[in-house]
Amino acid sequence: MARVPAAVVAASGLVGGYGLARWTKKRPLGGVALAAAGAVAAKEWQEKAGPTAAVALSGAYVAAFAGSHVLAKKIGAWPSVFAVAGGVALASWAVVDRRG
């Protein structure tokens, strides 16, 4: 079975976590989805690129989550979430998934 690229997992965690929190009106539920996807992505980053890359990309994932709140005040919630998810996905692809 083909593995889902870590870039897709990370971006899905950011988008899915926000969507779940918004649609259910239960922020902790969105946080669980965000954390679960982040853990899966971090495991993939660790296995494919090592601990340094995993720590750096995990930091980017958390920074993207936090930064989306600030960015949302300027461009709106959904555009912000999609922007940071795209940034994390691009970073993950460049560091890990591009290698194949």
Side-chain angles (χ1 to χ4, degrees), residues 8-57:
V8 173
V9 173
S12 297
L14 289 161
V15 173
Y18 174 70
L20 190 60
R22 177 141 184 183
W23 289 318
T24 64
K25 299 192 183 343
K26 296 188 182 343
R27 292 178 74 179
L29 191 56
V32 168
L34 176 81
V40 170
K43 182 176 181 285
E44 289 293 314
W45 294 328
Q46 169 80 29
E47 289 175 0
K48 292 181 179 178
T52 303
V55 168
L57 289 168

Side-chain angles (χ1 to χ4, degrees), residues 6-7 10 45 49 53 56-58 60-61 84-98:
W45 294 328
L57 289 168
S58 294
Y61 186 79
V84 300
V88 169
L90 182 61
S92 177
W93 176 82
V95 173
V96 177
D97 297 324
R98 177 173 55 153

